Amino acid sequence: MTDNKGYSPFLQPVEGATSYEDKVVDAAFRDLLKCYVESNHRKKVEIIEKAFKFAKEAHKGARRRSGEPYILHPIAVARIVVEELGLGSTSICAALLHDVIEDTAYTREDIEIAFGKRIADIVEGVTKISGGIFGDKASVQAESFRKLLLSMSTDIRVILVKMADRLHNMRTLGSLRPEKQFKIAGETLYVYAPLAHRLGLSKIKYELEDLAFKYEHPQKYREIIEKINETEEHREAIVEKFVTPIRRMLDEAGFKYEIKARVKSAYSIYKKMENKKIPFEEIYDVYAVRVIFENDDDSLEKLRCWQIYTFFTEGHKLHPERLRDWVSVPKANGYRALHLTAMGPEGKWIEVQIRSRKMDEIAELGYAAHWKYKDGVNEDETELDTWMNTIKDILAHPEPNALDFLDTIKLNLFSTEIYVFTPKGDLLTLPKGATVLDMAFAIHSQLGLHCMAGKISHKLVPLSHELQSGDQVELITSNSRIPTPEWMDFCHTAKAKTRIRTFLKKANNVEILTPEEMERIATPESSQEEKRSLVKRLLRNPFSSKKKKGEKKSPKIDRGKVFRLYPDDKEPNYHIETCCSPLPGDEVLGFVNEDEEVVLHKVECPIAMRLKSVYGSRLVMTEWGGSSSRFMASVELDGIDRRGILEEIVDLVSHKFDINIRSMNISTSQEVFHCEMSFFTDTAERVDNLCESLLHLKGIKFAHRKG
Ligand code: MN
């Protein structure tokens, strides 16, 4: 085995190498070649040398932040590609060239001319990932994330080379500025480590996780490492006591084997401590043992695993719920092993993994392990394709237990941003905390102004719903829907807030009373003077008067006569107040505002009562003159949450009652949910009927008209 970092200075420098740095670079390259020659791949040394020269020339003069010549990075990546991923010349060349398109003046065409389409494709793919969802410019337009991965994995080597690139960057992260370290570490934890896991590269996964953990939580990392070291001696003693009889049985049965006392990785210990809120000392499976046996006959592999299993049943108590047979049914990523947990000395549970040598190598190295069992293979052979197709297949048809990609590969690479998708698969970057309404405004102002609700995986969500990375959001709009002051609370982005404010200002042309001011009007304690001024503001033009400046006022309304309300008219001859939203048929009070328009409140509305006491002279008697027009009503619901209840409510309202939902707000706390919706309807009676029907839905405990 060769050391990852070391370059052998004893190797002869290639011709023309003069400076010390040149020598270091050439030595690193020779080490790479040595690894390649020792692998089972066909020996295509020439093209690798050509790629090295090309990359060296392209990155000439460039340095990494650590100060070393830049070319050492692609060489190290290529070395990971051959040594740790088991890939061949095509991937090695692509790794050597992986930063050329992005960082130098050379283009894809240059690479294609020199190395052919296949290598150029991989290099370009890696460049795209770097600049794409995984990279700095995360706002790239792509299809859905899954589709994005699929498109990138046309050649799985794109992802593997990128993985090697990331691994090397993580190993050398120390030389970067802390904030950059933090960002890269976060990305690694959320994207690359799960991806490595999915690809079966568990060794790389653990290394990435531990490195990321080390940079994200240096203090905690140190503490755990210290504890692991402190407890090492004791742990070894326990394990040794535990395995001694097992060794004897294995020897007697003629097994060739290796027993490794395995320590959980620092990161997985940390995760367990956090998740279960337990101290280091209580993590029982810190104790873990792996039995790896040499197996000369594939047909006996499974049987031998179970034979070894029986050795553990003798004299040990097994944990009944912790037997895992990944031998008969391998994990989606190809992992195979038999797991059990047995009671060891001092009452410590010890996790045991039983694996053949081949199983072990596949578990540690993933794809790379396959090369071990083949001679003189080259990368283009079918095994790579088969493996790649499996991955693609899983990506295309994710199953809950197989590859829940969107769950695992969290997209919140940076804590301040989230990524969401439109139904067509366009990717949008929004600040964390963004709601459905923010998304609507981010796409287009008109969409925002008429947005009613969102739909996320077939579920209706209100405008105020906070989006999560990876959500695919369909926006439901209606032309009759317009912003109301409370929309200001439904959004997070400056863009949405500005647009809504502008709209409201234009519509009302007055300042809107804040809820506190409304409250003050309605409280008897506030002074007459204060009320007067507030009400004056309210009456100046409290509704969306469509009149522009200079336009004629409506004819003066005769306060002494009964004012007949015509809700059926295209433009009703009155306005309704949003504080109580009266419907045709309701008992209402009419107020005449400064524009000589009649404004309606419900008789019992507290604001109306105050208005009455202060501005009695503006009161006008009203009478309903028709009742088929549509008006806004609100309904409040309480019930026990259950799957599908929302759909049933929506179905009842929009299909059975043919009512257009204008807005919907749902809040749940544990199993109880509360829902408020507003919609257009014709009569108060109809709303009462709706409430009656809603009460018949299973789980609904309370349904009534609001206001
Ligand atoms: Mn790179």
Side-chain angles (χ1 to χ4, degrees):
M1 270 311 222
T2 29
D3 172 355
N4 291 323
K5 289 161 284 179
Y7 314 115
S8 312
F10 54 83
L11 280 169
Q12 291 298 308
V14 294
E15 230 180 314
T18 46
S19 69
Y20 171 72
E21 273 186 359
D22 278 345
K23 283 179 197 162
V24 171
V25 168
D26 287 322
F29 178 66
R30 275 165 186 273
D31 277 358
L32 165 69
L33 272 188
K34 208 171 136 231
C35 285
Y36 173 66
V37 171
E38 283 166 4
S39 76
N40 283 330
H41 290 282
R42 279 208 308 233
K43 311 300 176 242
K44 295 194 208 161
V45 174
E46 250 169 66
I47 191 161
I48 296 175
E49 277 176 338
K50 187 174 161 192
F52 167 60
K53 279 182 189 141
F54 191 106
K56 194 179 164 193
E57 177 60 30
H59 292 295
K60 200 175 180 177
R63 285 177 188 282
R64 299 197 88 204
R65 242 193 94 84
S66 60
E68 60 180 16
Y70 195 88
I71 187 67
L72 285 174
H73 165 63
I75 293 173
V77 173
R79 178 137 169 207
I80 292 170
V81 157
V82 60
E83 198 174 34
E84 296 178 54
L85 294 171
L87 298 170
S89 61
T90 304
S91 307
I92 295 171
C93 290
L96 285 167
L97 298 164
H98 82 272
D99 276 331
V100 163
I101 297 182
E102 202 181 355
D103 294 342
T104 77
Y106 291 89
T107 63
R108 187 217 139 92
E109 283 66 42
D110 298 326
I111 292 176
E112 186 165 345
I113 289 163
F115 299 96
K117 187 174 174 332
R118 189 183 298 269
I119 290 175
D121 277 346
I122 300 175
V123 174
E124 191 181 47
V126 176
T127 310
K128 266 189 197 153
I129 304 180
S130 309
I133 193 155
F134 295 111
D136 289 335
K137 301 156 220 132
S139 60
V140 65
Q141 286 286 316
E143 298 178 320
S144 75
F145 177 64
R146 194 144 45 85
K147 279 192 197 156
L148 182 73
L149 270 179
L150 266 178
S151 64
M152 294 182 317
S153 60
T154 312
D155 194 324
I156 196 75
R157 287 173 291 195
V158 170
I159 290 181
L160 295 174
V161 170
K162 184 66 204 173
M163 193 68 76
D165 178 38
R166 174 53 54 125
L167 184 57
H168 185 246
N169 284 334
M170 283 304 291
R171 284 174 180 168
T172 54
L173 198 57
S175 54
L176 291 186
R177 289 189 310 275
E179 73 271 18
K180 194 106 201 225
Q181 286 178 357
F182 208 70
K183 190 199 136 194
I184 292 177
E187 253 181 57
T188 300
L189 221 41
Y190 284 118
V191 177
Y192 291 93
L195 194 55
H197 174 66
R198 294 311 188 193
L199 298 176
L201 308 167
S202 65
K203 208 171 153 224
I204 289 178
K205 175 206 159 188
Y206 287 122
E207 186 177 351
L208 286 174
E209 279 179 350
D210 271 7
L211 285 166
F213 174 43
K214 179 176 155 188
Y215 287 102
E216 277 201 330
H217 304 284
Q219 180 67 31
K220 285 179 183 142
Y221 175 80
R222 261 197 310 276
E223 280 168 21
I224 289 177
I225 291 291
E226 265 169 32
K227 282 199 168 137
I228 290 176
N229 293 340
E230 265 170 33
T231 51
E232 193 180 347
E233 220 173 290
H234 183 63
R235 201 172 44 240
E236 275 176 2
I238 285 184
V239 167
E240 205 40 51
K241 212 169 160 192
F242 175 69
V243 298
T244 306
I246 305 290
R247 279 191 205 280
R248 207 189 53 239
M249 286 183 266
L250 283 162
D251 290 337
E252 277 169 14
F255 275 100
K256 275 190 190 143
Y257 63 91
E258 184 186 352
I259 293 182
K260 287 184 187 168
R262 198 175 55 94
V263 184
K264 273 180 98 75
S265 73
Y267 179 69
S268 47
I269 292 175
Y270 166 71
K271 233 174 39 188
K272 202 153 209 172
M273 286 166 66
E274 289 286 298
N275 290 342
K276 302 207 166 163
K277 305 264 171 271
I278 49 176
F280 179 87
E281 290 69 24
E282 279 174 38
I283 297 171
Y284 64 83
D285 51 359
V286 171
Y287 299 90
V289 166
R290 185 175 296 157
V291 181
I292 301 153
F293 63 96
E294 306 299 333
N295 185 49
D296 48 9
D297 186 345
D298 275 356
S299 68
L300 292 176
E301 198 181 40
K302 188 171 165 180
L303 189 73
R304 286 173 172 160
C305 284
W306 286 102
Q307 193 186 353
I308 295 171
Y309 169 82
T310 62
F311 298 161
F312 285 93
T313 62
E314 281 174 40
H316 289 116
K317 209 162 61 190
L318 299 194
H319 194 304
E321 276 155 38
R322 293 186 60 90
L323 173 65
R324 298 282 179 275
D325 177 11
W326 303 114
V327 175
S328 310
V329 187
K331 284 194 190 182
N333 63 14
Y335 178 83
R336 293 172 71 222
L338 196 58
H339 289 195
L340 61 97
T341 300
M343 180 63 79
E346 295 181 22
K348 308 272 187 205
W349 288 110
I350 298 182
E351 190 190 280
V352 180
Q353 300 175 344
I354 302 166
R355 297 173 177 176
S356 70
R357 175 70 62 197
K358 189 176 176 182
M359 289 176 186
D360 185 57
E361 278 172 349
I362 288 171
E364 297 272 297
L365 304 170
Y367 178 63
H370 292 277
W371 300 117
K372 289 256 186 176
Y373 301 93
K374 300 233 181 268
D375 276 325
V377 280
N378 88 57
E379 265 180 54
D380 310 330
E381 266 181 281
T382 48
E383 189 151 355
L384 179 66
D385 292 337
T386 312
W387 188 70
M388 187 181 92
N389 284 336
T390 314
I391 302 279
K392 284 174 84 170
D393 201 50
I394 299 168
L395 284 167
H397 309 284
E399 286 167 38
N401 293 326
L403 236 161
D404 33 333
F405 238 89
L406 288 180
D407 278 354
T408 327
I409 300 182
K410 297 187 179 95
L411 297 178
N412 44 339
L413 310 185
F414 327 110
S415 56
T416 54
E417 281 180 337
I418 58 164
Y419 302 88
V420 294
F421 300 97
T422 68
K424 281 186 183 165
D426 288 338
L427 183 70
L428 286 173
T429 311
L430 294 169
K432 196 169 187 255
T435 62
V436 171
L437 193 56
D438 286 312
M439 176 170 173
F441 276 102
I443 296 171
H444 197 281
S445 298
Q446 283 306 312
L447 202 54
L449 292 171
H450 298 295
C451 191
M452 290 203 319
K455 228 188 207 177
I456 300 172
S457 30
H458 309 293
K459 272 212 170 121
L460 206 55
V461 293
L463 293 178
S464 58
H465 177 85
E466 188 178 323
L467 300 174
Q468 302 298 316
S469 255
D471 281 350
Q472 190 161 25
V473 189
E474 187 187 326
L475 297 167
I476 297 161
T477 59
S478 157
N479 281 337
S480 59
R481 175 68 155 158
I482 49 160
T484 58
E486 60 265 34
W487 278 33
M488 293 299 284
D489 298 325
F490 297 169
C491 56
H492 186 80
T493 57
K495 182 177 180 185
K497 283 190 193 283
T498 314
R499 292 288 147 81
I500 295 169
R501 204 177 290 123
T502 313
F503 179 90
L504 292 171
K505 267 198 181 151
K506 246 192 225 160
N508 288 354
N509 203 17
V510 288
E511 285 171 76
I512 291 144
L513 291 186
T514 66
E516 295 85 278
E517 287 171 325
M518 298 281 260
E519 189 64 48
R520 246 181 295 152
I521 295 179
T523 35
E525 288 81 40
S526 50
S527 74
Q528 201 75 350
E529 194 52 48
E530 191 182 7
K531 258 179 220 167
R532 236 177 250 282
S533 78
L534 286 171
V535 170
K536 208 165 176 186
R537 265 178 63 199
L538 190 66
L539 283 179
R540 208 187 308 149
N541 188 349
F543 312 101
S544 41
S545 167
K546 284 166 193 103
K547 287 188 193 64
K548 298 204 175 71
K549 261 189 186 162
E551 217 173 321
K552 262 195 195 160
K553 271 190 177 182
S554 310
K556 206 165 160 61
I557 290 166
D558 187 344
R559 271 86 159 157
K561 270 191 181 169
V562 172
F563 185 84
R564 228 177 142 68
L565 305 161
Y566 292 106
D568 295 343
D569 288 1
K570 206 169 159 201
E571 265 191 287
N573 59 342
Y574 59 88
H575 295 278
I576 54 167
E577 237 327 346
T578 47
C579 53
C580 53
S581 306
L583 291 179
D586 279 340
E587 267 194 285
V588 290
L589 285 176
F591 288 92
V592 180
N593 70 13
E594 285 187 345
D595 286 334
E596 286 300 307
E597 292 166 332
V598 171
V599 178
L600 298 183
H601 286 267
K602 279 192 197 168
V603 172
E604 66 270 23
C605 170
I607 290 174
M609 286 195 249
R610 295 295 144 197
L611 282 170
K612 201 165 65 176
S613 69
V614 183
Y615 271 90
S617 63
R618 287 181 177 270
L619 257 176
V620 64
M621 295 286 284
T622 55
E623 196 179 275
W624 290 105
S627 64
S628 65
S629 189
R630 299 170 86 74
F631 291 89
M632 215 261 270
S634 293
V635 163
E636 226 176 337
L637 287 174
D638 281 307
I640 306 300
D641 200 14
R642 65 176 161 86
R643 188 182 281 264
I645 194 162
L646 191 56
E647 280 90 332
E648 286 180 33
I649 295 170
V650 172
D651 183 62
L652 182 76
V653 177
S654 42
H655 297 119
K656 305 229 168 60
F657 277 81
D658 193 26
I659 284 170
N660 248 329
I661 299 176
R662 266 184 55 167
S663 73
M664 200 161 182
N665 253 305
I666 301 128
S667 56
T668 54
S669 112
Q670 267 116 47
E671 58 278 304
V672 180
F673 85 101
H674 178 81
C675 167
E676 282 182 46
M677 57 183 150
S678 315
F679 46 80
F680 286 106
T681 183
D682 40 23
T683 62
E685 197 189 52
R686 197 169 157 73
V687 182
D688 293 337
N689 288 341
L690 172 68
C691 289
E692 185 67 38
S693 298
L694 282 167
L695 276 170
H696 288 307
L697 293 180
K698 196 182 145 219
I700 305 275
K701 301 287 176 222
F702 185 71
H704 81 146
R705 190 176 143 204
K706 213 187 151 193

PDB file of all heavy atoms in Angstrom, residues 64 70 73-74 77 98-99 102-103 126 130 162 165-166 169, ligand 1:
ATOM      1  N   ARG A  64      -1.902  26.251  -5.672  1.00  0.00           N
ATOM      2  CA  ARG A  64      -3.017  26.067  -4.749  1.00  0.00           C
ATOM      3  C   ARG A  64      -2.834  27.055  -3.604  1.00  0.00           C
ATOM      4  O   ARG A  64      -1.766  27.620  -3.438  1.00  0.00           O
ATOM      5  CB  ARG A  64      -3.034  24.637  -4.193  1.00  0.00           C
ATOM      6  CG  ARG A  64      -3.186  23.590  -5.249  1.00  0.00           C
ATOM      7  CD  ARG A  64      -3.617  22.286  -4.628  1.00  0.00           C
ATOM      8  NE  ARG A  64      -5.074  22.227  -4.528  1.00  0.00           N
ATOM      9  CZ  ARG A  64      -5.729  21.473  -3.661  1.00  0.00           C
ATOM     10  NH1 ARG A  64      -5.073  20.743  -2.784  1.00  0.00           N
ATOM     11  NH2 ARG A  64      -7.040  21.445  -3.662  1.00  0.00           N
ATOM     12  N   TYR A  70      -0.142  23.909  -8.670  1.00  0.00           N
ATOM     13  CA  TYR A  70      -1.510  23.445  -8.814  1.00  0.00           C
ATOM     14  C   TYR A  70      -1.589  22.012  -9.329  1.00  0.00           C
ATOM     15  O   TYR A  70      -2.428  21.222  -8.883  1.00  0.00           O
ATOM     16  CB  TYR A  70      -2.306  24.367  -9.760  1.00  0.00           C
ATOM     17  CG  TYR A  70      -3.782  24.113  -9.635  1.00  0.00           C
ATOM     18  CD1 TYR A  70      -4.546  24.788  -8.698  1.00  0.00           C
ATOM     19  CD2 TYR A  70      -4.408  23.136 -10.418  1.00  0.00           C
ATOM     20  CE1 TYR A  70      -5.884  24.517  -8.529  1.00  0.00           C
ATOM     21  CE2 TYR A  70      -5.749  22.850 -10.261  1.00  0.00           C
ATOM     22  CZ  TYR A  70      -6.488  23.546  -9.315  1.00  0.00           C
ATOM     23  OH  TYR A  70      -7.817  23.259  -9.149  1.00  0.00           O
ATOM     24  N   HIS A  73      -2.519  18.851  -7.421  1.00  0.00           N
ATOM     25  CA  HIS A  73      -3.907  18.497  -7.090  1.00  0.00           C
ATOM     26  C   HIS A  73      -4.490  17.497  -8.100  1.00  0.00           C
ATOM     27  O   HIS A  73      -4.927  16.408  -7.700  1.00  0.00           O
ATOM     28  CB  HIS A  73      -4.753  19.758  -6.957  1.00  0.00           C
ATOM     29  CG  HIS A  73      -6.226  19.522  -6.973  1.00  0.00           C
ATOM     30  ND1 HIS A  73      -6.869  18.791  -6.001  1.00  0.00           N
ATOM     31  CD2 HIS A  73      -7.191  19.886  -7.866  1.00  0.00           C
ATOM     32  CE1 HIS A  73      -8.168  18.730  -6.289  1.00  0.00           C
ATOM     33  NE2 HIS A  73      -8.378  19.386  -7.413  1.00  0.00           N
ATOM     34  N   PRO A  74      -4.476  17.805  -9.400  1.00  0.00           N
ATOM     35  CA  PRO A  74      -4.989  16.796 -10.350  1.00  0.00           C
ATOM     36  C   PRO A  74      -4.242  15.457 -10.261  1.00  0.00           C
ATOM     37  O   PRO A  74      -4.866  14.407 -10.423  1.00  0.00           O
ATOM     38  CB  PRO A  74      -4.780  17.433 -11.718  1.00  0.00           C
ATOM     39  CG  PRO A  74      -4.541  18.871 -11.484  1.00  0.00           C
ATOM     40  CD  PRO A  74      -4.152  19.077 -10.059  1.00  0.00           C
ATOM     41  N   VAL A  77      -5.701  13.666  -7.359  1.00  0.00           N
ATOM     42  CA  VAL A  77      -7.056  13.201  -7.680  1.00  0.00           C
ATOM     43  C   VAL A  77      -6.978  11.944  -8.551  1.00  0.00           C
ATOM     44  O   VAL A  77      -7.685  10.960  -8.318  1.00  0.00           O
ATOM     45  CB  VAL A  77      -7.866  14.314  -8.382  1.00  0.00           C
ATOM     46  CG1 VAL A  77      -9.206  13.785  -8.865  1.00  0.00           C
ATOM     47  CG2 VAL A  77      -8.070  15.498  -7.434  1.00  0.00           C
ATOM     48  N   HIS A  98      -9.186  17.359 -14.955  1.00  0.00           N
ATOM     49  CA  HIS A  98     -10.518  17.739 -14.494  1.00  0.00           C
ATOM     50  C   HIS A  98     -10.715  19.234 -14.228  1.00  0.00           C
ATOM     51  O   HIS A  98     -11.826  19.731 -14.293  1.00  0.00           O
ATOM     52  CB  HIS A  98     -10.931  16.916 -13.258  1.00  0.00           C
ATOM     53  CG  HIS A  98     -10.388  17.438 -11.960  1.00  0.00           C
ATOM     54  ND1 HIS A  98      -9.165  17.059 -11.469  1.00  0.00           N
ATOM     55  CD2 HIS A  98     -10.893  18.327 -11.063  1.00  0.00           C
ATOM     56  CE1 HIS A  98      -8.949  17.687 -10.317  1.00  0.00           C
ATOM     57  NE2 HIS A  98      -9.978  18.457 -10.050  1.00  0.00           N
ATOM     58  N   ASP A  99      -9.640  19.959 -13.948  1.00  0.00           N
ATOM     59  CA  ASP A  99      -9.799  21.392 -13.682  1.00  0.00           C
ATOM     60  C   ASP A  99      -9.378  22.269 -14.861  1.00  0.00           C
ATOM     61  O   ASP A  99      -9.379  23.491 -14.753  1.00  0.00           O
ATOM     62  CB  ASP A  99      -8.990  21.791 -12.434  1.00  0.00           C
ATOM     63  CG  ASP A  99      -9.763  21.522 -11.151  1.00  0.00           C
ATOM     64  OD1 ASP A  99     -11.013  21.570 -11.195  1.00  0.00           O
ATOM     65  OD2 ASP A  99      -9.126  21.240 -10.115  1.00  0.00           O
ATOM     66  N   GLU A 102     -12.284  24.510 -16.405  1.00  0.00           N
ATOM     67  CA  GLU A 102     -12.754  25.536 -15.484  1.00  0.00           C
ATOM     68  C   GLU A 102     -11.687  26.590 -15.180  1.00  0.00           C
ATOM     69  O   GLU A 102     -11.985  27.772 -15.084  1.00  0.00           O
ATOM     70  CB  GLU A 102     -13.236  24.890 -14.183  1.00  0.00           C
ATOM     71  CG  GLU A 102     -14.195  25.794 -13.440  1.00  0.00           C
ATOM     72  CD  GLU A 102     -14.679  25.186 -12.138  1.00  0.00           C
ATOM     73  OE1 GLU A 102     -14.337  24.020 -11.863  1.00  0.00           O
ATOM     74  OE2 GLU A 102     -15.395  25.884 -11.410  1.00  0.00           O
ATOM     75  N   ASP A 103     -10.471  26.132 -15.018  1.00  0.00           N
ATOM     76  CA  ASP A 103      -9.461  27.041 -14.479  1.00  0.00           C
ATOM     77  C   ASP A 103      -8.433  27.561 -15.473  1.00  0.00           C
ATOM     78  O   ASP A 103      -7.591  28.363 -15.107  1.00  0.00           O
ATOM     79  CB  ASP A 103      -8.694  26.347 -13.327  1.00  0.00           C
ATOM     80  CG  ASP A 103      -9.599  26.067 -12.137  1.00  0.00           C
ATOM     81  OD1 ASP A 103     -10.670  26.685 -12.068  1.00  0.00           O
ATOM     82  OD2 ASP A 103      -9.234  25.231 -11.295  1.00  0.00           O
ATOM     83  N   VAL A 126     -17.521  16.860 -15.107  1.00  0.00           N
ATOM     84  CA  VAL A 126     -16.977  17.250 -13.798  1.00  0.00           C
ATOM     85  C   VAL A 126     -17.036  18.774 -13.656  1.00  0.00           C
ATOM     86  O   VAL A 126     -17.404  19.308 -12.610  1.00  0.00           O
ATOM     87  CB  VAL A 126     -15.534  16.736 -13.626  1.00  0.00           C
ATOM     88  CG1 VAL A 126     -14.941  17.235 -12.313  1.00  0.00           C
ATOM     89  CG2 VAL A 126     -15.497  15.215 -13.684  1.00  0.00           C
ATOM     90  N   SER A 130     -19.055  21.038 -10.863  1.00  0.00           N
ATOM     91  CA  SER A 130     -18.357  22.044 -10.055  1.00  0.00           C
ATOM     92  C   SER A 130     -19.066  23.381 -10.121  1.00  0.00           C
ATOM     93  O   SER A 130     -19.126  24.111  -9.143  1.00  0.00           O
ATOM     94  CB  SER A 130     -16.917  22.207 -10.546  1.00  0.00           C
ATOM     95  OG  SER A 130     -16.309  20.956 -10.623  1.00  0.00           O
ATOM     96  N   LYS A 162     -15.374  13.329  -9.706  1.00  0.00           N
ATOM     97  CA  LYS A 162     -15.737  14.447  -8.838  1.00  0.00           C
ATOM     98  C   LYS A 162     -15.584  14.060  -7.361  1.00  0.00           C
ATOM     99  O   LYS A 162     -15.159  14.853  -6.529  1.00  0.00           O
ATOM    100  CB  LYS A 162     -17.187  14.861  -9.137  1.00  0.00           C
ATOM    101  CG  LYS A 162     -17.660  16.076  -8.386  1.00  0.00           C
ATOM    102  CD  LYS A 162     -16.915  17.330  -8.801  1.00  0.00           C
ATOM    103  CE  LYS A 162     -16.964  18.379  -7.697  1.00  0.00           C
ATOM    104  NZ  LYS A 162     -16.113  19.540  -8.008  1.00  0.00           N
ATOM    105  N   ASP A 165     -12.021  14.233  -6.503  1.00  0.00           N
ATOM    106  CA  ASP A 165     -11.652  15.645  -6.403  1.00  0.00           C
ATOM    107  C   ASP A 165     -12.044  16.175  -5.019  1.00  0.00           C
ATOM    108  O   ASP A 165     -11.259  16.810  -4.322  1.00  0.00           O
ATOM    109  CB  ASP A 165     -12.395  16.412  -7.512  1.00  0.00           C
ATOM    110  CG  ASP A 165     -12.133  17.906  -7.477  1.00  0.00           C
ATOM    111  OD1 ASP A 165     -10.982  18.302  -7.186  1.00  0.00           O
ATOM    112  OD2 ASP A 165     -13.070  18.672  -7.755  1.00  0.00           O
ATOM    113  N   ARG A 166     -13.265  15.857  -4.603  1.00  0.00           N
ATOM    114  CA  ARG A 166     -13.742  16.321  -3.317  1.00  0.00           C
ATOM    115  C   ARG A 166     -12.936  15.719  -2.165  1.00  0.00           C
ATOM    116  O   ARG A 166     -12.589  16.386  -1.206  1.00  0.00           O
ATOM    117  CB  ARG A 166     -15.231  15.993  -3.190  1.00  0.00           C
ATOM    118  CG  ARG A 166     -15.841  16.305  -1.834  1.00  0.00           C
ATOM    119  CD  ARG A 166     -15.585  17.732  -1.373  1.00  0.00           C
ATOM    120  NE  ARG A 166     -15.987  18.723  -2.337  1.00  0.00           N
ATOM    121  CZ  ARG A 166     -16.809  19.719  -2.085  1.00  0.00           C
ATOM    122  NH1 ARG A 166     -17.342  19.832  -0.889  1.00  0.00           N
ATOM    123  NH2 ARG A 166     -17.100  20.601  -3.004  1.00  0.00           N
ATOM    124  N   ASN A 169      -9.723  17.511  -1.919  1.00  0.00           N
ATOM    125  CA  ASN A 169      -9.943  18.848  -1.366  1.00  0.00           C
ATOM    126  C   ASN A 169     -10.201  18.797   0.132  1.00  0.00           C
ATOM    127  O   ASN A 169      -9.766  19.664   0.877  1.00  0.00           O
ATOM    128  CB  ASN A 169     -11.113  19.538  -2.071  1.00  0.00           C
ATOM    129  CG  ASN A 169     -10.728  20.038  -3.451  1.00  0.00           C
ATOM    130  OD1 ASN A 169      -9.548  20.305  -3.711  1.00  0.00           O
ATOM    131  ND2 ASN A 169     -11.685  20.137  -4.342  1.00  0.00           N
TER     132      ASN A 169
HETATM  133 MN    MN B   1     -10.238  20.001  -8.524  1.00  0.00          MN
END
